[in-house]
Amino acid sequence: MEMELTDRKKKILEAIIRTYMETGEPVGSRTVSKFTDLNLSSATIRNEMADLEEMGYILQPHTSAGRIPSDKAYRMYVDEILTTKDKEVSEMQNIMLKREDKIDLLLKQVAKLLAQNTNYTSMVTKPRYEHRRIKFIQLSRTGEDQILVLIVTQNNHVINKFISTGQDIAENDLAQLNFLLNTALNGLDVTEISIALAQKIRGQAGEYEELATSIIDTIASSMTDDDSEIYTSGATNILKYPELTDKDKMEGLLSTFEEKQMLTAWANDVGPDEKQEHAIQVYIGEESPIESMKDCSVVTATYQIEEGVYGKIGIVGPKRMDYEKVVGTLENCMKQLDDIFKKNDKALPDKSKK
């Protein structure tokens, strides 16, 4: 009669796998007893390990008293991880897509209302992530020579990238590569992926060294991509102010709002002072952070969705703008956004409590 892989055996097996992954050394019963919550004696654990060895999940290398996981053990472990992660990703994507759609719509409305209420031009950026730590990575085949690299950050931001494998790769090998990448990269910020770490991963990838290199490069580039999006409204309000209707000035300003390259640099530059609550700042003439707006005044504020997730709002007008009205409007806008984002956070499930 075939033995059953009970919950107790699974926990002991997981302890062996995790310990071996960390140390690279065969694992004994005394070590396992420190890593499980079963409160079992070493003798009981030895009996369970003997069963696991008979079932083909662990091996005894040479004459060592310790055991190491077999391919069968890794297969079971990876399959369980992928099943759990598949479910988490599906749930997370549904939540975050709905949330991002709502935020995009909200920020577009904010830009429009600010332009209407002030009679100036408004700029509102999508939120950016100050830090992007890797929560987990998932590799999935989408064709004979193509895989999907799915990256989830600690902020629950989901990034999808397709890459060519350059070769056919078996599901089992892909699962092991996925396991290797998660073990090495989970919890790291993209800036912490060093050359030495990348070389170590490539070395452990064996025949899939080139594919591992491609995946690491994809992860690094996708997490540093400049994905700023900026919503503008009321650009034609500039025409209401004679001092800004000079042909060259007007063309420069309108081009800035249409093409947005210069606005991207402004959006990405969030200094320490701007990370304080609301951080309303006024730039007059030459103080402007945007070259084409040196004949204007720019009033900016920073909104925060959560720790490390910032966005910027700007109002552009003539130097004779109604500063009191603009600052008051922005302060009121910030307070309303605070209320909205706090409500959104409460609506999201807290997965850390599972």
Side-chain angles (χ1 to χ4, degrees), residues 40-89:
L40 298 174
S41 67
S42 294
T44 302
I45 293 174
R46 279 196 297 273
N47 290 334
E48 294 285 18
M49 288 174 67
D51 289 346
L52 288 170
E53 186 172 3
E54 187 177 338
M55 295 166 73
Y57 286 106
I58 56 177
L59 308 169
Q60 183 175 21
H62 311 300
T63 57
S64 167
R67 303 293 190 276
I68 64 172
S70 67
D71 288 351
K72 182 179 179 181
Y74 283 127
R75 176 75 269 163
M76 182 211 71
Y77 187 60
V78 169
D79 285 347
E80 288 196 356
I81 288 174
L82 294 182
T83 299
T84 301
K85 295 306 181 186
D86 274 336
K87 185 177 179 182
E88 284 185 15
V89 168

Side-chain angles (χ1 to χ4, degrees), residues 200-215:
K200 181 181 177 182
I201 295 170
R202 287 195 290 267
Q204 293 175 330
E207 64 178 297
Y208 299 109
E209 179 181 352
E210 290 186 11
L211 177 57
T213 300
S214 179
I215 294 170

Side-chain angles (χ1 to χ4, degrees), residues 271-289:
D273 292 341
E274 293 178 289
K275 293 175 186 176
Q276 299 174 13
E277 187 175 9
H278 301 169
I280 292 178
Q281 298 192 20
V282 179
Y283 302 90
I284 301 172
E286 292 295 325
E287 300 171 351
S288 173

Side-chain angles (χ1 to χ4, degrees), residues 248-299:
D248 291 337
K249 293 178 183 177
M250 182 179 65
E251 286 182 353
L253 282 169
L254 292 176
S255 175
T256 298
F257 290 124
E258 287 176 6
E259 298 176 9
K260 300 183 180 178
Q261 289 95 331
M262 290 190 221
L263 297 184
T264 299
W266 162 74
N268 294 341
D269 184 17
V270 181
D273 292 341
E274 293 178 289
K275 293 175 186 176
Q276 299 174 13
E277 187 175 9
H278 301 169
I280 292 178
Q281 298 192 20
V282 179
Y283 302 90
I284 301 172
E286 292 295 325
E287 300 171 351
S288 173
I290 302 169
E291 183 62 33
S292 63
M293 297 179 186
K294 297 297 184 182
D295 293 304
C296 305
S297 281
V298 182
V299 183

Side-chain angles (χ1 to χ4, degrees), residues 65-252:
R67 303 293 190 276
I68 64 172
S70 67
D71 288 351
K72 182 179 179 181
Y74 283 127
R75 176 75 269 163
M76 182 211 71
Y77 187 60
V78 169
D79 285 347
E80 288 196 356
I81 288 174
L82 294 182
T83 299
T84 301
K85 295 306 181 186
D86 274 336
K87 185 177 179 182
E88 284 185 15
V89 168
S90 179
E91 291 175 353
M92 193 180 302
Q93 282 183 314
N94 288 335
I95 292 168
M96 297 309 293
L97 285 173
K98 288 178 183 177
R99 185 188 189 195
E100 287 181 9
D101 286 345
K102 288 179 181 178
I103 290 176
D104 286 355
L105 180 60
L106 170 65
L107 295 178
K108 288 176 184 178
Q109 291 174 337
V110 166
K112 184 176 180 180
L113 289 172
L114 286 174
Q116 290 175 344
N117 291 343
T118 61
N119 254 338
Y120 303 127
T121 303
S122 65
M123 313 177 290
V124 180
T125 74
K126 284 187 68 172
R128 288 183 59 82
Y129 296 83
E130 183 180 21
H131 297 293
R132 285 186 172 179
R133 291 193 176 276
I134 298 170
K135 190 171 185 178
F136 65 85
I137 300 158
Q138 185 168 325
L139 309 179
S140 304
R141 284 185 59 175
T142 56
E144 287 187 3
D145 61 349
Q146 186 183 64
I147 62 172
L148 169 66
V149 181
L150 184 145
I151 309 145
V152 179
T153 69
Q154 293 291 357
N155 301 101
N156 289 335
H157 182 62
V158 180
I159 304 168
N160 293 308
K161 294 288 181 179
F162 290 96
I163 66 171
S164 173
T165 61
Q167 61 190 120
D168 192 16
I169 178 169
E171 287 290 349
N172 186 56
D173 292 336
L174 187 63
Q176 290 185 8
L177 185 57
N178 192 94
F179 186 70
L180 169 64
L181 289 164
N182 275 286
T183 302
L185 301 179
N186 279 11
L188 295 185
D189 187 273
V190 64
T191 58
E192 297 171 331
I193 304 177
S194 64
I195 294 174
L197 177 59
Q199 288 176 337
K200 181 181 177 182
I201 295 170
R202 287 195 290 267
Q204 293 175 330
E207 64 178 297
Y208 299 109
E209 179 181 352
E210 290 186 11
L211 177 57
T213 300
S214 179
I215 294 170
I216 294 169
D217 290 344
T218 297
I219 292 169
S221 63
S222 65
M223 291 182 70
T224 53
D225 278 349
D226 181 10
D227 56 0
S228 291
E229 188 167 350
I230 303 169
Y231 306 118
T232 60
S233 185
T236 55
N237 284 343
I238 292 170
L239 303 176
K240 298 177 182 178
Y241 304 98
E243 62 267 46
L244 298 178
T245 55
D246 172 85
K247 182 181 178 183
D248 291 337
K249 293 178 183 177
M250 182 179 65
E251 286 182 353

